[in-house]
Amino acid sequence: MKSFFEAIGTLFTDYLFLPFHMLRELELTNWWAANTLNWIFIIICCAAMVYWIKQLNIFKANNEDDQDTTAHSFFK
């Protein structure tokens, strides 16, 4: 049983965490290159938020947005 858990530990530390170790080493030489993935995720989240707010405004302009607090039974 001990070898099973050691195999899981080896799998994670030697193989699955390898990209994170590479990013950690890259950060010591170039911070911008190491954080490019974070900036991509931030841009995607900002674009999704802008789209969501536009959709909310469309529903509000068409009076399809129900602002009543009793719209759901658990708010009563």
Side-chain angles (χ1 to χ4, degrees):
M1 192 64 163
K2 182 180 176 183
S3 62
F4 174 72
F5 289 109
E6 288 176 355
I8 292 174
T10 302
L11 172 70
F12 277 92
T13 56
D14 294 340
Y15 300 108
L16 297 180
F17 289 153
L18 189 62
F20 296 113
H21 296 307
M22 291 170 35
L23 280 173
R24 185 181 64 208
E25 292 173 6
L26 179 63
E27 185 180 12
L28 297 176
T29 58
N30 189 349
W31 182 88
W32 288 100
N35 287 297
T36 302
L37 186 62
N38 293 334
W39 289 106
I40 291 170
F41 285 145
I42 288 171
I43 291 169
I44 291 171
C45 288
C46 288
M49 187 178 297
V50 167
Y51 174 77
W52 181 40
I53 291 172
K54 283 179 146 183
Q55 291 298 316
L56 286 175
N57 285 334
I58 290 170
F59 279 101
K60 191 172 187 176
N62 292 337
N63 291 327
E64 296 176 14
D65 188 21
D66 190 8
Q67 294 285 331
D68 189 17
T69 57
T70 60
H72 299 285
S73 61
F74 54 86
F75 285 141
K76 290 182 182 180

